[in-house]
Amino acid sequence: MNTARWTAVAAAALAVTLLSGCSDVEKALNQGGDTKCSDYLIQSADTQRVTITKFIKQQNGTQNEPSGTQVDLSMAAVQALCQVQNNKDTPIKNANLAGILFR
């Protein structure tokens, strides 16, 4: 297979992988708690769930899957806090009430 054809096949495979939703690649590249509020707010619900799950694992220092309820509650809290943050570059791990009070 010549180089141009191989490159086209590889690019197509990468595109399919990236467009398939929450792939293993996306999970690996996800920043968890270091995700900026501005980036979090534009993620799909599935990607937000991956982000929050990774964030909880980072906070707990474990690879154990958090409960669905814990993820749901954390998603709601981060969503609310990020929507009112004064600085949209705030990482979700730092989203706090000060951002609400000092707008």
Side-chain angles (χ1 to χ4, degrees):
M1 190 180 285
N2 66 31
T3 304
R5 190 170 184 193
W6 173 249
T7 302
V9 169
L14 179 61
V16 168
T17 300
L18 293 176
L19 294 175
S20 65
C22 292
S23 67
D24 290 337
V25 172
E26 184 177 358
K27 289 178 184 177
L29 295 177
N30 190 298
Q31 296 180 358
D34 291 328
T35 302
K36 295 177 187 176
C37 278
S38 58
D39 295 333
Y40 179 81
L41 291 173
I42 62 170
Q43 291 177 343
S44 70
D46 289 339
T47 303
Q48 287 179 343
R49 189 164 202 82
V50 170
T51 301
I52 294 298
T53 298
K54 187 169 185 175
F55 170 44
I56 293 169
K57 288 179 179 180
Q58 290 169 335
Q59 276 190 318
N60 295 339
T62 181
Q63 287 303 311
N64 296 336
E65 290 295 318
S67 71
T69 302
Q70 183 180 13
V71 174
D72 291 340
L73 292 173
S74 296
M75 285 178 70
V78 168
Q79 181 79 21
L81 290 172
C82 281
Q83 286 179 335
V84 295
Q85 278 297 313
N86 192 29
N87 181 359
K88 296 295 184 185
D89 288 336
T90 299
I92 63 171
K93 68 182 177 189
N94 295 337
N96 59 48
L97 291 175
I100 295 171
L101 300 174
F102 302 109
R103 288 187 54 127

